[in-house]
Structures are given as structure tokens and as C-alpha cells.
Amino acid sequence: MADPAGPLLKRLALPVYVPSMLSAAGGQALMPMLPLIAIQLGYSPAASALLISIIGLMAIVGPIPLGVMMERTGERPAMILAAVLVIASSLAGIAILDAGPSAATRSLLVLLLVVDGIAGEVWDLGRQTYLGAELPHHLRGRAMNFFGGMMRVGGVVGPSLGAGAYAIAGFQGSYALRIVLMATAAAMVLVFLVPSSGRRAVPTTAVTGTKGGLYGHVVRAILIVGVGLTGLIIARLNVSVLLPLVGQHIGLNPRDISLVFALGMALEIVLFLPAGVLLDRWGRAVMGGLCCLGLGVGFVLIALVDSLGAIVWGAVAWYVIARLVISFGNSLGSGIVKTLSVDLTPAFRRAAHMGLYNSITGAGVLLGPAVVAAVTAAAGVLVAAAATGGLTLAGGAWLFAVLPRYAPGWHGRQPDYQPDPILAERVPEES
């Protein structure tokens, strides 16, 4: 029997999925280089790490006003503008590297990171809003999961290409690669992304009962679900923050740590497609709970690497197994954050509601590294891993308890929650 999601995924490949992979590859080709670029321009290592948090800050303050803006411009013009900003920022990055360290170039780097953060939020919000109007309810999990999976592929391809670009032309080569990939993604959006067939005009009566132009019950739902998602997002961020520190703690060199990361990412890529099918069949609560369970247990195992790990299999083997448990859990939730953004937001002013959703979930982007820094300073990196595991398990329990009220459940059971009480969501028909 043919997969009913097949025609939909093919139709979205050129306007959404391939550009998403290209933009993710471009961003990830540069991201590992940014702290080193900051150091080359004269920042201290501590200051260079702090600079990267600017992008996380934009994930909190940017989405709400950007969502309002996108309602006026539409997704495609906003995404093209974001791509132009990324390309201009990358060209400016090449220029400040050529100019060398100075107070002016250091200040300009801060400005470029702000621009990058804003452009990234516009690009993400445009894709989410477009998919929100295009996806049938019963295929949202698979379609959004594939969206997340393509970004994971970009996250693997980008650093590999970035390493080659750096070998050829240094940091300027990394910026140049980003320009090429982002320009290609923007060209595909310009050519293939057409106005959504699922969007229709909303009568003025739809604004009745709203606060500040947003539905109050939708805002409450986003806040309630966002509490649990914060634990999930903290865990995902801390995979990149904590695991290298623990690897160094047990004596692994950077090359070996990278190999363990690559092994974990390969497992996630293999499993993301089956996870998307289960997201639609088993529901958001089950998959969100299982995802947090896997991540939380994995971090607890990481915390035990010096004690049980050293006794049972040896610290290195324990570390590798814990990393694979984390990857398995993370793969079960592939696409769930983006899928819930569609489940919880109404057709009316979807971009503005999604902007609020992205701001709430963006809090985890800043909280993850903050938790690691605070707990590590007070009690060490292994205790920070245990704290991350505890927060993630608590977040999973919260999601398992509240999601049945707000998102599709077991075998597509629909919740009582209706994001738009005025207009029923249009479900596009697949030919």
C-alpha cells in the first residue's frame, strides 16, 4: 500500500525541504567557526562563547514582531529578504576578516550576529507558517518530521563542507560557502514556493474575543505546552554543550569526541522517518514523552560515567552507549516542536501566533547553556548532566500529561482543543 504522505512530501520537496537542508548546511558550516572568528578578531575565549548567545537571544525577542511583519509581507518575500540579509552579513564577515582585528571589526561582528539571528528567525517562521497552511491534519507529523530530518541532514553536511572550505580559503571560505548555499536556497524559494492553497481570507468577525489580536485560549495553550517543551529544548542544546565537556573529562581527544557525535547523528538520521510515522499514529503525547525519556535517561547515564560507567564497561564505552541512548531518544521527537507549532496555532493570524510560540520555545536556547554554566561552576560537569536529565524527564512527564488535551493523540484522535473557534482549518486535498 502506497504511503499517503508520499505525494505531499514530493510536492513540498523543492519549495521547502531542499531549501531547508541547504540553509541548515550553510548555517552549520559557519557556526563552529564563529567562536574562532571572534578570537581571531581579538575577543577572549570566554567573550567569544558569550557572543554566540546573541543568536539565542534573537530567538526569544525576535519571533513576535517578525510574525506580525510576515502577516503583511507574506512568507516568500520575507524569506527572500532574510536570505539577502544572510548573504550581505556573510559578505561583511569576509570584509572584517580581511580588515583584521580592531575595535571597529569587533563591534561589526556583534552587529552581524544580530542580523544573522533576525534573518534566521524570519526564515524559520516563513517555512513554519507556510507548512501550517499546507498540511492535512493526519499527515502533519510525517511532513514536519521530514522537515526536521532535512535540517538534520544539513547539520551533518554543513560542517563537512565547511571544513573543506576552511582548508581552501580559511574563515573567508566558510563565509563564501554559506553565501553559495543560501543563495541557492533563496532561488528555490523564489521559483518554487507559491502562495499556500490552504490560506483563505478571515472575516473581520474572527477578531472578536481576542486580546492584542491573538486568541487568549491559544496563548494559554502555547504557554502550557511550552513549559514541557523547554525541558526538551534544553536537553537538545546541552547535547552540544555538555557532551564535549564530559568527553574531555574522561580523556577523549577532540577527534574521538567528533566521531562519537557523528555516530549519534547517523543514528538520528536513520530513525527520523519511522519516528514521523509514529508521530501521526501514536500521537504527540506518547512520542514527546518517549523522546524526553530517552534524552533524560541518556543524560543520567552520562552523569554516571565516572561511577557505574567505569565499573561496568569502562568510561569510554559507557560514554558512547549514553550518547546513542540520547540520539535514539532525540530521534523519537524529530519534528515534534515544529509539528506542535501547527497543532496549537489557528488559521487566523497564524504567523503572529507562531511568533509567540517560537519566542516561548526559544527560551530553552538560552536556558540550556545557562544551566550548564551555573551547575558546572558550582558542582562540576557530571552534576550538570544529571540536572539536565532531571529537567528533561520532568518536561517529558509534563508533555505526556497535557498534550492529550491540545494535540492529536493515539491513531489520530483529535483533542477537544480547537485553535480557531471561528474558522475550521482547511485540509488541502491531495490529488
Side-chain angles (χ1 to χ4, degrees), residues 19 22-23 26 79-80 82-88 90-91 123 175-191:
L22 292 172
S23 65
M79 292 174 70
I80 296 301
V84 170
L85 287 175
V86 168
I87 292 170
S90 299
L91 289 170
W123 185 265
Y175 273 117
L177 174 64
R178 189 189 189 200
I179 291 170
V180 172
L181 293 173
M182 198 68 205
T184 305
M188 295 185 72
V189 168
L190 182 64
V191 173

Side-chain angles (χ1 to χ4, degrees), residues 170-245:
F171 293 130
Q172 288 89 336
S174 300
Y175 273 117
L177 174 64
R178 189 189 189 200
I179 291 170
V180 172
L181 293 173
M182 198 68 205
T184 305
M188 295 185 72
V189 168
L190 182 64
V191 173
F192 297 113
L193 194 145
V194 297
S196 170
S197 60
R199 193 178 292 103
R200 55 178 171 176
V202 179
T204 55
T205 55
V207 299
T208 303
T210 64
K211 296 181 180 180
L214 301 181
Y215 284 131
H217 74 290
V218 175
V219 173
R220 287 192 297 274
I222 290 172
L223 290 173
I224 289 170
V225 174
V227 171
L229 288 177
T230 298
L232 169 60
I233 293 166
I234 285 174
R236 286 177 166 175
L237 263 292
N238 282 355
V239 170
S240 299
V241 177
L242 262 175
L243 266 61
L245 297 177

Side-chain angles (χ1 to χ4, degrees), residues 2-12 134 136 138-139 197 426-431:
D3 183 359
L8 176 66
L9 298 181
K10 290 178 182 177
R11 178 164 61 83
L12 294 174
E134 285 290 293
H138 65 290
L139 296 178
S197 60
R426 179 183 185 275
V427 179
E429 297 293 333
E430 290 298 322
S431 57

Side-chain angles (χ1 to χ4, degrees), residues 123-421:
W123 185 265
D124 285 346
L125 192 57
R127 293 175 299 177
Q128 282 178 261
T129 306
Y130 181 81
L131 287 171
E134 285 290 293
L135 298 181
H137 291 72
H138 65 290
L139 296 178
R140 279 179 182 169
R142 268 167 282 188
M144 296 302 280
N145 166 271
F146 199 79
F147 174 40
M150 292 303 289
M151 295 180 69
R152 277 177 164 80
V153 172
V156 174
V157 172
S160 301
L161 294 177
Y166 175 80
I168 295 172
F171 293 130
Q172 288 89 336
S174 300
Y175 273 117
L177 174 64
R178 189 189 189 200
I179 291 170
V180 172
L181 293 173
M182 198 68 205
T184 305
M188 295 185 72
V189 168
L190 182 64
V191 173
F192 297 113
L193 194 145
V194 297
S196 170
S197 60
R199 193 178 292 103
R200 55 178 171 176
V202 179
T204 55
T205 55
V207 299
T208 303
T210 64
K211 296 181 180 180
L214 301 181
Y215 284 131
H217 74 290
V218 175
V219 173
R220 287 192 297 274
I222 290 172
L223 290 173
I224 289 170
V225 174
V227 171
L229 288 177
T230 298
L232 169 60
I233 293 166
I234 285 174
R236 286 177 166 175
L237 263 292
N238 282 355
V239 170
S240 299
V241 177
L242 262 175
L243 266 61
L245 297 177
V246 175
Q248 184 182 52
H249 171 79
I250 63 174
L252 293 179
N253 60 45
R255 180 183 63 86
D256 292 336
I257 293 172
S258 296
L259 289 174
V260 175
F261 264 74
L263 183 63
M265 186 61 71
L267 179 62
E268 291 187 30
I269 291 174
V270 168
L271 293 178
F272 84 83
L273 282 177
V277 176
L278 295 178
L279 191 58
D280 283 326
R281 291 184 181 174
W282 290 3
R284 312 326 187 217
V286 172
M287 297 307 291
L290 289 175
C291 172
C292 289
L293 178 63
L295 283 166
V297 169
F299 273 106
V300 171
L301 292 176
I302 286 289
L304 298 173
V305 69
D306 271 354
S307 52
L308 283 179
I311 296 171
V312 179
W313 294 308
V316 173
W318 186 275
Y319 176 81
V320 173
I321 291 170
R323 176 66 176 99
L324 293 177
V325 171
I326 287 172
S327 294
F328 179 76
N330 197 31
S331 68
L332 294 179
S334 178
I336 192 170
V337 176
K338 302 297 187 187
T339 302
L340 286 170
S341 74
V342 180
D343 291 333
L344 297 177
T345 54
F348 168 63
R349 300 201 67 194
R350 189 185 294 277
H353 286 92
M354 278 194 173
L356 173 65
Y357 177 91
N358 285 0
S359 286
I360 298 301
T361 56
V365 177
L366 283 182
L367 288 176
V371 167
V372 173
V375 179
T376 300
V381 68
L382 298 185
V383 177
T388 300
L391 287 172
T392 309
L393 291 171
W398 181 270
L399 290 177
F400 191 76
V402 304
L403 280 181
R405 285 182 270 164
Y406 296 105
W410 189 264
H411 286 273
R413 183 193 64 78
Q414 293 300 308
D416 295 332
Y417 170 78
Q418 170 54 257
D420 194 331

Side-chain angles (χ1 to χ4, degrees), residues 34-54:
L34 284 175
L36 304 178
I37 290 172
I39 291 171
Q40 180 168 309
L41 292 176
Y43 283 101
S44 69
S48 68
L50 185 62
L51 280 177
I52 309 306
S53 66
I54 292 173

